[in-house]
Amino acid sequence: MSANVVHPVFRALDETGGGKVSVTEILSRLDQAGLPNDDPRLAALTDGLRRNGSEIDGATFDRLSQSGRRLLERAVRQELVLPSFGDFSATVSRIYEATLRNEGGALAQYIPQLARVDPDQFGVAVCTIDGQRLSLGDAAEPFSFQSSCKPLLYSAALELHGEARVHDHIGREPSGQSFNELTLNKASRPHNPMINAGAIMSTSLLHADWPMADRFDYLTSLIGNLTGGRRPGFNNAIYHSERETADRNFALAHYMREVRAFPEGTDILATLDLYFAACSIETTAQQMATIAATYANGGVCPPTGERVFSGDTVKNCLSMMNACGMYDYSGEFAFRVGMPAKSGVCGAIMAVVPNVMGIAVWSPHIDQNGNSVRGVEFLHRLVETFNFHNYDSLVETRKLDPRHRRKTIESNATFSAIHAASCGDIDELKRLVAYGHTMDSADYDGRTPLHLAAAEGHDTAVAFLIRQGVDLAPEDRWGNTPIEDAKRHGHRTVAALIRRESGEASSRQSSDRENASTSKPSKAA
């Protein structure tokens, strides 16, 4: 970076104009945005900052921020999926505290090890599709997956074999029965992949020709990829407890073998062993939230940017979670909470807000359906506060505090327009226009949708915004206009498009003024 060129983000951080920025200030901005110091995308930047003293100049900033600059830029400009992360965190913390007072339910009794867990533990974790994180309470305490591993088993089977073959062996309908009921559908197949019979069937499809050690290693590696590189633990005591109390699961497996539901040549004992092992893998609410965020992000793990599952796999899995993921409470949960989720008798609930975030709630006291009592209440409260229900976009108003309702709706629309423009999402921009939202709205830094579309080189989005009659030369807090953003990022086509339209607009205005002048009646008349 030359001495005369200063990156806009550095200028924004250098509030005094002294040419130096505090390292503490940069790290604080990342923290305020919800980005943790251990985020792998920012590792090189944060390590470099700490090695360069308490302050850095523009040249040092440019050198250090080559890795992670875009993420830092979006954080500083509040362009992440939750732009006001501090406000969101404060609200979720209040919901957590309110839910903490609920002491209903009881520990799962049919697996002895689960009956010995501290019942007062309560952890909540959030991970957005941008990798913003929030952890509350016992979010770092390990617990076994239990039934919350079922979406992972199903997704893995889909990745290995595709939808057609997997659903030759597993149905797609709610069973209307208990999760471990000794029953199959009319085709003598498990009703769906979110009950025990379906999960056992999914397990049978996971590298059946591999040795057991390799199959288990495959599962733990998969979970490690879903959590951003954090390899899970394993609770051997839970595994033995599972196996010793698994008469119903053995009966299900033998029943399915009897009716030839399994793929040919399936070793049901090896399949059951792998299923019990999957249920006994240990995770935390923090790790589970990242798994859920990977689903929310269409199969791409937010902290690493690695694609773990295909978009089709995610679509199919979330559909099953939405319909069947909460045991016998699935229909009521879909109606009242309206987000795909999967619970487990360990007290965990993994919930997904598509294109926004993943949520994990863990509290061991469960209700008669097998769902965490606090977990269900927490998610109920969450959708009463935020627009996270699948169909909230169809509702004009929400049950928000009247003092915040208008601000919240306007803020969400502004953010949605800016985010859609930055991604070139024409359909979202059209939807917002149809609802009457202005495309001239600006964020905290004065950046409009046209700024973002121009900076990212989305010429189609720029053309659409121009057709909406937006201001072609708004200035952000750094004094930059959209055409300057386009030039700086090398998007010549976009710059030419704005320049041409600006010229035509000026010509039209001049013509209108001339016409207005000549059409005025004379005083003599």
Side-chain angles (χ1 to χ4, degrees), residues 78-124:
Q78 293 187 306
E79 295 172 0
L80 300 178
V81 70
L82 292 183
S84 301
F85 192 77
D87 293 341
F88 172 79
S89 299
T91 302
V92 174
S93 296
R94 288 193 292 271
I95 294 173
Y96 173 88
E97 292 297 331
T99 309
L100 188 60
R101 294 193 287 269
N102 188 338
E103 297 181 352
L107 293 172
Q109 298 295 319
Y110 70 96
I111 299 176
Q113 292 299 319
L114 295 181
R116 301 171 189 170
V117 176
D118 179 357
D120 295 326
Q121 296 177 104
F122 181 29
V124 170

Coordinates of all heavy atoms in Angstrom, one line a residue, residues 78-124:
Q78 N -20.4 -3.5 10.0 CA -21.7 -4.1 10.5 C -22.5 -4.7 9.3 O -23.7 -4.5 9.2 CB -22.5 -3.1 11.3 CG -21.9 -2.6 12.6 CD -22.8 -1.8 13.4 OE1 -23.3 -0.7 12.9 NE2 -23.0 -2.1 14.6
E79 N -21.8 -5.5 8.5 CA -22.4 -6.1 7.4 C -22.6 -7.6 7.6 O -23.0 -8.3 6.6 CB -21.6 -5.9 6.1 CG -21.5 -4.4 5.7 CD -20.5 -4.2 4.6 OE1 -19.9 -5.1 4.1 OE2 -20.4 -3.0 4.1
L80 N -22.3 -8.1 8.8 CA -22.5 -9.6 9.0 C -24.0 -9.8 9.2 O -24.8 -8.9 9.3 CB -21.7 -10.0 10.3 CG -20.2 -9.8 10.2 CD1 -19.5 -10.2 11.5 CD2 -19.6 -10.5 9.0
V81 N -24.3 -11.1 9.2 CA -25.7 -11.5 9.1 C -26.5 -10.9 10.4 O -27.7 -10.6 10.3 CB -25.9 -13.0 9.0 CG1 -25.5 -13.7 10.3 CG2 -27.3 -13.4 8.6
L82 N -25.8 -10.8 11.5 CA -26.4 -10.1 12.7 C -25.6 -8.8 12.9 O -24.6 -8.8 13.6 CB -26.3 -11.0 13.9 CG -27.2 -12.2 13.9 CD1 -27.1 -12.9 15.3 CD2 -28.7 -11.8 13.7
P83 N -26.0 -7.7 12.2 CA -25.2 -6.5 12.3 C -25.1 -5.9 13.7 O -24.0 -5.3 14.1 CB -25.9 -5.5 11.3 CG -27.2 -6.1 11.2 CD -27.2 -7.5 11.4
S84 N -26.1 -6.0 14.5 CA -26.1 -5.5 15.9 C -26.0 -6.7 16.8 O -26.9 -7.0 17.6 CB -27.4 -4.7 16.1 OG -27.5 -3.6 15.2
F85 N -24.8 -7.3 16.8 CA -24.7 -8.5 17.6 C -24.8 -8.3 19.1 O -25.3 -9.2 19.8 CB -23.3 -9.2 17.2 CG -23.2 -10.6 17.8 CD1 -23.8 -11.6 17.1 CD2 -22.4 -10.9 18.9 CE1 -23.7 -12.9 17.6 CE2 -22.3 -12.2 19.4 CZ -23.0 -13.2 18.7
G86 N -24.3 -7.2 19.5 CA -24.4 -6.9 21.0 C -25.8 -6.8 21.4 O -26.2 -7.4 22.5
D87 N -26.7 -6.2 20.7 CA -28.1 -6.1 21.0 C -28.8 -7.5 21.0 O -29.5 -7.8 21.9 CB -28.9 -5.2 20.1 CG -28.4 -3.7 20.2 OD1 -27.8 -3.4 21.2 OD2 -28.7 -2.9 19.3
F88 N -28.4 -8.2 20.0 CA -28.9 -9.6 19.9 C -28.5 -10.4 21.1 O -29.3 -11.1 21.7 CB -28.4 -10.3 18.6 CG -28.8 -11.7 18.5 CD1 -30.0 -12.2 18.1 CD2 -27.8 -12.7 18.8 CE1 -30.3 -13.5 18.0 CE2 -28.1 -14.0 18.7 CZ -29.4 -14.5 18.3
S89 N -27.2 -10.4 21.4 CA -26.7 -11.1 22.6 C -27.4 -10.7 23.9 O -27.7 -11.6 24.7 CB -25.2 -10.9 22.7 OG -24.5 -11.4 21.5
A90 N -27.6 -9.5 24.1 CA -28.2 -9.0 25.3 C -29.7 -9.6 25.4 O -30.1 -10.0 26.5 CB -28.3 -7.5 25.4
T91 N -30.4 -9.6 24.3 CA -31.7 -10.1 24.3 C -31.8 -11.6 24.6 O -32.6 -12.1 25.4 CB -32.4 -9.8 23.0 OG1 -32.4 -8.4 22.7 CG2 -33.9 -10.3 23.0
V92 N -30.9 -12.3 23.9 CA -30.8 -13.8 24.1 C -30.4 -14.1 25.5 O -30.9 -15.1 26.1 CB -29.8 -14.4 23.1 CG1 -29.7 -15.9 23.4 CG2 -30.4 -14.2 21.7
S93 N -29.5 -13.3 26.1 CA -29.1 -13.5 27.5 C -30.3 -13.4 28.4 O -30.5 -14.1 29.4 CB -28.0 -12.5 27.9 OG -26.9 -12.8 27.1
R94 N -31.2 -12.4 28.2 CA -32.4 -12.2 29.0 C -33.3 -13.4 28.8 O -33.9 -13.9 29.8 CB -33.1 -10.9 28.6 CG -32.3 -9.7 29.0 CD -33.2 -8.4 28.9 NE -33.5 -8.1 27.6 CZ -32.8 -7.3 26.8 NH1 -31.6 -6.7 27.3 NH2 -33.1 -7.0 25.6
I95 N -33.4 -13.9 27.6 CA -34.3 -15.1 27.4 C -33.7 -16.3 28.2 O -34.5 -17.1 28.8 CB -34.4 -15.4 25.9 CG1 -35.1 -14.3 25.2 CG2 -35.1 -16.7 25.7 CD1 -35.1 -14.4 23.7
Y96 N -32.4 -16.4 28.1 CA -31.7 -17.5 28.9 C -32.0 -17.4 30.4 O -32.4 -18.4 31.0 CB -30.2 -17.4 28.6 CG -29.4 -18.4 29.4 CD1 -29.1 -19.7 29.0 CD2 -28.9 -18.0 30.7 CE1 -28.4 -20.6 29.8 CE2 -28.1 -18.9 31.5 CZ -27.9 -20.2 31.0 OH -27.2 -21.1 31.8
E97 N -31.9 -16.2 30.9 CA -32.1 -16.0 32.4 C -33.6 -16.3 32.7 O -33.8 -16.9 33.8 CB -31.8 -14.6 32.8 CG -30.3 -14.3 32.7 CD -29.4 -15.1 33.6 OE1 -30.0 -15.6 34.7 OE2 -28.3 -15.4 33.3
A98 N -34.5 -15.9 31.9 CA -35.9 -16.2 32.1 C -36.2 -17.7 32.1 O -37.0 -18.3 32.9 CB -36.8 -15.5 31.1
T99 N -35.6 -18.4 31.1 CA -35.8 -19.8 31.0 C -35.1 -20.6 32.1 O -35.6 -21.7 32.5 CB -35.3 -20.3 29.6 OG1 -35.8 -19.5 28.6 CG2 -35.6 -21.8 29.3
L100 N -34.1 -20.1 32.6 CA -33.3 -20.8 33.7 C -34.2 -21.1 34.9 O -34.0 -22.1 35.7 CB -32.1 -19.9 34.1 CG -31.1 -20.5 35.1 CD1 -30.5 -21.8 34.5 CD2 -30.0 -19.5 35.4
R101 N -35.3 -20.3 35.1 CA -36.2 -20.5 36.3 C -37.0 -21.8 36.1 O -37.6 -22.2 37.1 CB -37.0 -19.3 36.4 CG -36.3 -18.0 36.8 CD -37.2 -16.9 37.3 NE -37.9 -16.3 36.2 CZ -37.5 -15.3 35.5 NH1 -36.4 -14.7 35.8 NH2 -38.3 -14.8 34.5
N102 N -37.1 -22.3 34.9 CA -38.0 -23.5 34.7 C -37.2 -24.7 35.2 O -36.2 -25.1 34.7 CB -38.3 -23.6 33.2 CG -39.3 -24.7 32.9 OD1 -39.5 -25.6 33.7 ND2 -39.9 -24.6 31.7
E103 N -37.8 -25.4 36.2 CA -37.1 -26.6 36.8 C -38.0 -27.8 36.6 O -37.8 -28.8 37.3 CB -36.9 -26.4 38.3 CG -35.9 -25.2 38.6 CD -35.7 -25.0 40.1 OE1 -36.4 -25.7 40.9 OE2 -34.8 -24.2 40.4
G104 N -38.8 -27.8 35.6 CA -39.7 -28.9 35.3 C -38.9 -30.1 34.6 O -37.8 -29.9 34.2
G105 N -39.6 -31.2 34.4 CA -39.1 -32.3 33.7 C -38.3 -33.2 34.6 O -38.2 -33.0 35.8
A106 N -37.6 -34.2 34.1 CA -36.8 -35.2 34.8 C -35.7 -35.8 33.9 O -35.8 -35.7 32.7 CB -37.7 -36.3 35.3
L107 N -34.7 -36.4 34.5 CA -33.7 -37.0 33.8 C -34.1 -38.3 33.1 O -35.0 -38.9 33.6 CB -32.5 -37.3 34.7 CG -31.7 -36.2 35.3 CD1 -30.8 -36.7 36.4 CD2 -31.0 -35.4 34.3
A108 N -33.6 -38.6 31.9 CA -33.9 -39.8 31.2 C -33.4 -41.0 32.1 O -32.3 -41.0 32.7 CB -33.1 -39.9 29.9
Q109 N -34.3 -42.0 32.3 CA -34.0 -43.1 33.2 C -33.6 -44.4 32.6 O -33.0 -45.2 33.2 CB -35.2 -43.3 34.1 CG -35.6 -42.1 35.0 CD -34.6 -41.8 36.0 OE1 -34.0 -42.7 36.7 NE2 -34.3 -40.5 36.2
Y110 N -34.0 -44.5 31.3 CA -33.8 -45.9 30.7 C -32.3 -46.2 30.3 O -32.0 -47.3 30.0 CB -34.7 -46.1 29.5 CG -34.4 -45.2 28.3 CD1 -33.6 -45.8 27.2 CD2 -34.8 -43.9 28.1 CE1 -33.3 -45.1 26.1 CE2 -34.5 -43.2 27.0 CZ -33.8 -43.8 26.0 OH -33.5 -43.0 24.9
I111 N -31.5 -45.1 30.3 CA -30.1 -45.3 30.1 C -29.4 -44.9 31.4 O -29.4 -43.7 31.8 CB -29.5 -44.5 28.9 CG1 -30.2 -45.0 27.6 CG2 -28.0 -44.6 28.8 CD1 -29.8 -44.2 26.4
P112 N -28.9 -45.8 32.2 CA -28.4 -45.5 33.5 C -27.4 -44.3 33.6 O -27.5 -43.5 34.5 CB -27.7 -46.8 34.0 CG -28.4 -47.8 33.2 CD -28.7 -47.2 31.9
Q113 N -26.5 -44.2 32.7 CA -25.5 -43.1 32.7 C -26.2 -41.7 32.6 O -25.8 -40.7 33.2 CB -24.5 -43.3 31.6 CG -23.6 -44.5 31.8 CD -22.8 -44.4 33.1 OE1 -22.3 -43.3 33.5 NE2 -22.6 -45.5 33.8
L114 N -27.3 -41.6 31.8 CA -28.0 -40.4 31.6 C -28.7 -40.0 32.9 O -28.9 -38.8 33.1 CB -28.9 -40.4 30.4 CG -28.4 -40.6 29.0 CD1 -29.5 -40.7 28.0 CD2 -27.3 -39.5 28.7
A115 N -29.1 -40.9 33.7 CA -29.8 -40.6 34.9 C -28.9 -40.1 36.0 O -29.3 -39.7 37.1 CB -30.5 -41.9 35.4
R116 N -27.6 -40.0 35.7 CA -26.6 -39.6 36.7 C -26.0 -38.2 36.4 O -25.1 -37.7 37.1 CB -25.4 -40.6 36.8 CG -25.9 -42.0 37.3 CD -24.7 -43.0 37.1 NE -25.2 -44.3 37.3 CZ -24.5 -45.4 37.1 NH1 -23.2 -45.3 36.6 NH2 -25.0 -46.6 37.3
V117 N -26.5 -37.6 35.4 CA -26.1 -36.2 34.9 C -26.6 -35.2 35.9 O -27.7 -35.3 36.4 CB -26.5 -36.0 33.5 CG1 -26.1 -34.6 33.1 CG2 -25.9 -37.0 32.5
D118 N -25.8 -34.1 36.1 CA -26.2 -33.0 36.9 C -27.4 -32.3 36.2 O -27.3 -31.8 35.1 CB -25.1 -32.0 37.0 CG -25.5 -30.7 37.8 OD1 -26.7 -30.6 38.3 OD2 -24.6 -29.9 38.1
P119 N -28.6 -32.4 36.8 CA -29.8 -31.9 36.1 C -29.9 -30.4 36.0 O -30.7 -29.9 35.3 CB -31.0 -32.4 37.0 CG -30.3 -32.5 38.4 CD -28.9 -32.9 38.2
D120 N -29.1 -29.6 36.8 CA -29.2 -28.2 36.8 C -28.4 -27.5 35.7 O -28.5 -26.3 35.5 CB -28.7 -27.6 38.1 CG -29.6 -28.0 39.3 OD1 -30.9 -28.2 39.0 OD2 -29.1 -28.3 40.4
Q121 N -27.7 -28.3 34.9 CA -26.9 -27.7 33.8 C -27.8 -27.1 32.7 O -28.8 -27.7 32.4 CB -25.9 -28.7 33.3 CG -24.9 -29.2 34.3 CD -24.0 -30.2 33.8 OE1 -22.8 -30.0 33.4 NE2 -24.5 -31.4 33.6
F122 N -27.4 -26.0 32.1 CA -28.1 -25.4 31.1 C -27.2 -24.6 30.2 O -26.6 -23.6 30.7 CB -29.2 -24.5 31.7 CG -30.1 -23.8 30.7 CD1 -30.4 -24.3 29.4 CD2 -30.7 -22.6 31.0 CE1 -31.2 -23.7 28.5 CE2 -31.5 -21.9 30.1 CZ -31.8 -22.5 28.9
G123 N -27.0 -25.0 29.0 CA -26.1 -24.3 28.1 C -26.8 -23.9 26.8 O -27.7 -24.7 26.3
V124 N -26.5 -22.7 26.3 CA -27.1 -22.3 25.0 C -25.9 -21.7 24.2 O -25.0 -21.0 24.7 CB -28.1 -21.1 25.2 CG1 -28.5 -20.5 23.9 CG2 -29.3 -21.7 25.9

